[in-house]
Amino acid sequence: NTSGEIEGREIRRIMSSGVERLRERERLVIALYYFEGLTVKEIGRVLGVSESRVYQLHTQAMGRLRTYLREKGAAQVA
């Protein structure tokens, strides 16, 4: 195990914990966008909201994740 591998695992653990703390809709937007590969338009259809609302939810989620990462001392990835 290199220090980079250990650091990568720790960052993934912190990120996972941060995602779990998001509001349900924010978590869904992150999951659909980053893990399922849906477009903003497709996510809007799934959630029954406008594309601009999807962008708002994404921005809110990323802001919360950045704050959480800073609090956990992982600011370099935020």
Side-chain angles (χ1 to χ4, degrees), residues 19 22-36 43 46-47 61:
V19 169
L22 294 175
R23 294 177 177 156
E24 185 177 347
R25 284 194 132 193
E26 292 171 348
R27 190 169 48 244
L28 188 54
V29 166
I30 295 301
L32 292 173
Y33 189 78
Y34 291 103
F35 301 110
E36 299 297 325
I43 295 169
V46 168
L47 297 180

Side-chain angles (χ1 to χ4, degrees), residues 46-58:
V46 168
L47 297 180
V49 298
S50 68
E51 289 179 52
S52 63
R53 181 63 182 140
V54 174
Y55 281 114
Q56 284 179 334
L57 290 166
H58 180 270

Side-chain angles (χ1 to χ4, degrees), residues 2 6 9 28 37-39 51 74:
T2 67
I6 293 168
R9 278 198 304 268
L28 188 54
L38 270 64
T39 66
E51 289 179 52

Side-chain angles (χ1 to χ4, degrees), residues 9-31 34-35 57-74 77-78:
R9 278 198 304 268
E10 181 65 10
I11 290 169
R12 281 190 294 279
R13 186 191 63 74
I14 292 169
M15 286 292 291
S16 177
S17 182
V19 169
E20 289 172 8
R21 295 179 189 317
L22 294 175
R23 294 177 177 156
E24 185 177 347
R25 284 194 132 193
E26 292 171 348
R27 190 169 48 244
L28 188 54
V29 166
I30 295 301
Y34 291 103
F35 301 110
L57 290 166
H58 180 270
T59 299
Q60 289 170 355
M62 294 307 289
R64 287 181 208 283
L65 283 173
R66 283 187 192 97
T67 299
Y68 182 75
L69 290 173
R70 271 195 298 274
E71 290 169 357
K72 293 297 176 186
V77 297

